[in-house]
Amino acid sequence: MPVSRPEALLIDADEASGFPNSPLPVLIYRQIIDVAGERAASTFEAMFAAHRWPPEWRYGLFDFDHFHSTAHEALGVFRGRARIRLGGPHGSQHEIAAGDVLVLPAGVGHANLASSDDFAMVGAYPPGQRWEVERGDPARFAAACRRVAAVALPDADPVGGSLPSLWH
C-alpha cells in the first residue's frame, strides 16, 4: 500500500535559545499503521528496519526541549497521544497520536508538553548516526549548526515515503 504524503513543516533556527533546527522539513505521517492490538511497536520496528532506519528504543518523549545535532530521528507513536512542541521553547505545538510517525531532521528541537499516561514511541536512526541530547545553548549555537550541517542525508524514508524527494 502506498504511503500518503506527509505534512512537511519548516522550522526556522532559534539562535536566541540555541536551537539550530533545520532547513529540511519535519515530516509527520498520520496513521501509518493500524494500532489495534498489541503489535504496534513491533510493526514500527519492522517497518523502520526494513527501510534502513534501525530501531533503538521504546519510550516516551522527554518533557524538556532538546535536539540531536548528530542524527536524524524517526519516532513511531505506538500507544496514546501527546501535545508536542517542535522548534525549541518558542516553537509550534502539534498533536500526535498512535499510528503517527515523525521524522525529525538533525537539529530540530522537540518536547512533550502533555500526553496520555500510556503514550509511547519507537525511536530509530539512519545507520551509523549516533544521537545525543542537547538542550540548546546560545553560546554553542554556531558549533551545533556546524554539526547539524555535517549529518549525512539518509537514502531512504523510514516508512517508505517521500523523504528522499523532500530532503534532497
Side-chain angles (χ1 to χ4, degrees):
M1 177 165 90
V3 175
S4 62
R5 192 157 177 87
E7 297 171 33
L9 309 170
L10 289 172
I11 301 174
D12 293 330
D14 181 358
E15 186 172 355
S17 297
F19 284 78
N21 293 311
S22 178
L24 302 172
V26 169
L27 305 178
I28 303 177
Y29 291 96
R30 301 288 183 181
Q31 300 303 294
I32 288 296
I33 67 165
D34 177 7
V35 293
E38 299 296 318
R39 297 185 166 267
S42 297
T43 300
F44 275 129
E45 290 166 341
M47 178 189 307
F48 293 161
H51 292 101
R52 298 183 308 278
W53 284 62
E56 291 193 17
W57 51 262
R58 292 181 185 184
Y59 191 64
L61 178 62
F62 295 137
D63 62 359
F64 55 87
D65 291 292
H66 66 285
F67 65 94
H68 313 295
S69 68
T70 57
H72 305 298
E73 182 173 46
L75 302 171
V77 182
F78 66 88
R79 267 196 327 255
R81 57 187 321 101
R83 183 169 35 91
I84 64 170
R85 181 169 46 226
L86 298 173
H90 302 110
S92 56
Q93 295 184 22
H94 304 271
E95 298 289 329
I96 57 173
D100 293 348
V101 171
L102 286 86
V103 185
L104 303 175
V108 172
H110 48 294
N112 181 352
L113 300 177
S115 61
S116 60
D117 290 342
D118 63 342
F119 177 70
M121 303 182 301
V122 168
Y125 307 85
Q129 294 187 9
R130 299 290 171 247
W131 58 277
E132 78 312 306
V133 175
E134 295 184 52
R135 292 185 177 224
D137 179 349
R140 296 181 179 180
F141 179 77
C145 288
R146 286 191 296 276
R147 286 190 303 279
V148 167
V151 177
L153 293 176
D155 61 0
D157 186 296
V159 301
S162 51
L163 180 144
S165 65
L166 293 170
W167 278 17
H168 292 222

